[in-house]
Amino acid sequence: MEYLPDELLLLSFRYLHRFDLLYTFKDLNRRFQQIVEPYLYKVNLTQANLSYKHFRLFVKHILPSHGNSIRSLTVSGLQLFDLVRLHLHHLPSLESITLKRPLIDTVRSDKLEKFLIQVLRIPTLKHLSIDYHGGIIFELISQYATPNLQTLKVLHSYDFYYFGYVTQQSPYLKRLSINLMSTIDLVKLFQVAVNLNQLNLSFYTFADLEVREVPDTLEKLHLEIDFRLLKSKNNKKSLHQSNFHMLSKLLNNFRNNLKYLDLIVLNAEKEFSDFDKFHSLVNSFDQLETFEYDIRTKYRPDQRFPNVDELISANSTYSIYTNPRPQPFDTSFKRVEFEKTKLNSDLTRSQLLVATSLDVTDGDFFDVNLPSSFELSDDLKLVNLNKIHICKSTIDSNPEIRPFLSKVIALASNLHTLVLESDIEHTLLLLKQFITSANISRKIAEVQLIQQNFFDDQDLAFFSNIAHIVPNLKSLSLTLHKEFSVRNSDIKKLIRRTRAGFRKLNNLTLKLFDDDVHSDDRDMLDSALESYKKSLNELRHETGESLYWSTDYNMSGAFIIIWM
């Protein structure tokens, strides 16, 4: 390899995992060190193809020896907090860190707080992005962040108040991306971030307010609104005002500051499709140099708009936009995507084309039926569809759905996840019905079995049979029978079977209960989890630390998340 040109080496390196590449070639000689050095600059530990083997390789060998070269780090998952937290001192040059939401959405606030304090104390840190419930994030920044931290992105669910504990200003913060519960929180925000230059903002409720303390330094505002989700404060002033009028009043607070304005509006009202009316939003902005927008509306737009696309979508027919088109930052509600779509008679071709998830289960208020407005054609390309939830009882009661669903699966080129509601003995049958070709089987990377009856007395060939149908499976989720949670020796047997069956499996998630965790259940679950930890410790010693796990609760039960 010494005599190969750099271009050929770089081409060959595409076929190697980044961590294998770094471990093998980093210290071979000066030439190879210069070639592979850029692979260290930006490390993402949240990629789907990251196995526990590669994660341990990174933590045990690459991070201690070469952490000084890492500039950007992306992490996720409770297990990553436990491990990466112990090695932050190996990252003296870290400039950016992104903390993504873990596999289980709940995270102990004390653990997160300790981790954030360590992160904020990194002297070189310039950028922090956090996608968790983090009520004390601004208080921690004001207490522990260095002056170098000037860019912050914080996303969360909208049931949350940021500023309850904030007593100090954050004068060094220059660029902020945030989703707020209400526009009224802007008053407190500007009292904390007093020197903002750029604000990327989305919010859930409009409030009729005047913001008197907009920072003089604020020059750029990026605003995202989904009027389908937006709520207005029911007071006398705002109750009868249109969303367009409310937005105009909100923007008016910034008219003396802004040089740059980006506006993304979904499900916009009719006023937004009128060229003159729309541009009246910024007529009084004397300092404005750039106004970029992307407006999604069902109303046919004025011909004077520079760019108009007719979209295939159920809720947004037209996109009115500038070039370049502003890109959304708020992914917490997948604002620009459709979430779960139900298979029923009202489903349209347009809805199916933009659906990312298809639910084939009966609900409380509707039944599953074939769409009445269209039939599937062979040239249909369902490129957005990546997840399908199938209930066996629903399929059995509606046999005409089978051929339709089989065709959907065949047309979904990016499908990677199947959620199956079926008892264990019929799970294989359900997979065989819909995984009808090698092309389909190769693309399935995740299977979730959510029926609450998995136990240790299944057919020994169960996992190997599933692996034969979906050979590239990387993630498996099982909902365990209640008796399993008190028979602690079963977990070692279960892990051995999954390992033997799935050679490419990276993640195994076990859900112990499928109903609400009551106080009596919690004591029993705590005892079971402690026993599981003991069994897993024994298994880890037997296998030479080749697996890692974390445990957690959410509102519906207890979880064990195992990296393999």
Side-chain angles (χ1 to χ4, degrees), residues 52 463 494-505 539-540 543 545-548 562-564:
Y52 182 70
F463 290 121
L494 175 59
I495 291 173
R496 287 193 177 101
R497 290 184 181 178
T498 53
R499 280 184 154 177
F502 301 102
R503 297 298 182 182
K504 296 185 179 182
L505 195 69
L539 186 59
R540 180 163 64 179
T543 57
E545 291 193 348
S546 56
L547 61 86
Y548 179 77
I562 303 170
W563 275 26
M564 308 177 69

Side-chain angles (χ1 to χ4, degrees), residues 29-243:
N29 56 42
R30 179 173 295 183
R31 179 195 176 207
F32 277 96
Q33 184 170 335
Q34 290 177 341
I35 292 175
V36 301
E37 181 81 15
Y39 290 91
L40 275 167
Y41 294 161
K42 188 174 183 179
V43 175
N44 186 349
L45 299 178
T46 67
Q47 295 174 324
N49 66 344
L50 181 69
S51 67
Y52 182 70
K53 170 190 170 185
H54 286 120
F55 178 72
R56 291 297 297 174
L57 185 63
F58 172 76
V59 171
K60 293 186 68 174
H61 299 286
I62 298 172
L63 186 55
S65 301
H66 310 296
N68 61 312
S69 297
I70 296 175
R71 305 289 186 269
S72 173
L73 178 65
T74 301
V75 298
S76 176
L78 298 177
Q79 63 272 48
L80 295 181
F81 282 107
D82 290 338
L83 288 178
V84 175
R85 175 176 57 85
L86 302 176
H87 298 273
L88 286 177
H89 63 281
H90 290 306
L91 299 165
S93 305
L94 190 67
E95 297 178 355
S96 174
I97 188 166
T98 299
L99 312 178
K100 289 191 175 181
R101 194 174 283 274
L103 294 172
I104 306 303
D105 284 347
T106 55
V107 57
R108 287 179 55 187
S109 59
D110 58 338
K111 178 184 291 188
L112 178 59
E113 181 178 345
K114 291 177 181 178
F115 183 65
L116 281 174
I117 291 173
Q118 285 187 280
V119 169
L120 291 170
R121 283 175 168 164
I122 298 174
T124 55
L125 190 69
K126 297 178 181 179
H127 310 270
L128 172 62
S129 177
I130 181 169
D131 190 15
Y132 293 97
H133 293 271
I136 57 173
I137 179 64
F138 284 96
E139 182 66 13
L140 292 178
I141 285 176
S142 65
Q143 291 186 43
Y144 300 103
T146 72
N148 280 329
L149 182 63
Q150 298 186 5
T151 303
L152 173 66
K153 178 179 179 181
V154 53
L155 298 179
H156 57 82
S157 62
Y158 283 104
D159 56 354
F160 192 86
Y161 185 50
Y162 276 119
F163 306 104
Y165 303 97
V166 181
T167 58
Q168 303 179 51
Q169 293 180 342
S170 299
Y172 303 110
L173 201 58
K174 302 298 184 184
R175 292 165 290 277
L176 174 64
S177 301
I178 189 170
N179 49 12
L180 296 176
M181 178 67 183
S182 170
T183 54
I184 201 170
D185 293 330
L186 284 171
V187 175
K188 184 64 175 178
L189 171 62
F190 290 145
Q191 292 173 358
V192 174
V194 293
N195 292 319
L196 277 184
N197 177 260
Q198 176 179 337
L199 175 63
N200 300 329
L201 173 68
S202 67
F203 52 88
Y204 191 47
T205 60
F206 259 135
D208 195 353
L209 80 161
E210 183 178 353
V211 184
R212 298 181 181 273
E213 299 183 15
V214 176
D216 293 336
T217 54
L218 187 65
E219 294 185 342
K220 181 172 183 178
L221 176 66
H222 173 105
L223 193 60
E224 298 178 15
I225 310 172
D226 187 343
F227 284 135
R228 180 169 52 94
L229 300 175
L230 190 68
K231 300 177 182 178
S232 294
K233 293 287 187 182
N234 290 330
N235 55 48
K236 292 181 180 180
K237 291 184 178 180
S238 65
L239 183 60
H240 301 294
Q241 299 181 34
S242 69
N243 285 328

Side-chain angles (χ1 to χ4, degrees), residues 339-368:
E339 296 186 31
K340 184 182 295 185
T341 299
K342 299 288 293 189
L343 180 60
N344 56 49
S345 57
D346 295 329
L347 179 67
T348 66
R349 177 187 174 97
S350 298
Q351 286 176 309
L352 185 59
L353 282 169
V354 297
T356 58
S357 176
L358 183 63
D359 193 345
V360 191
T361 63
D362 288 318
D364 295 331
F365 305 104
F366 46 81
D367 296 324
V368 173

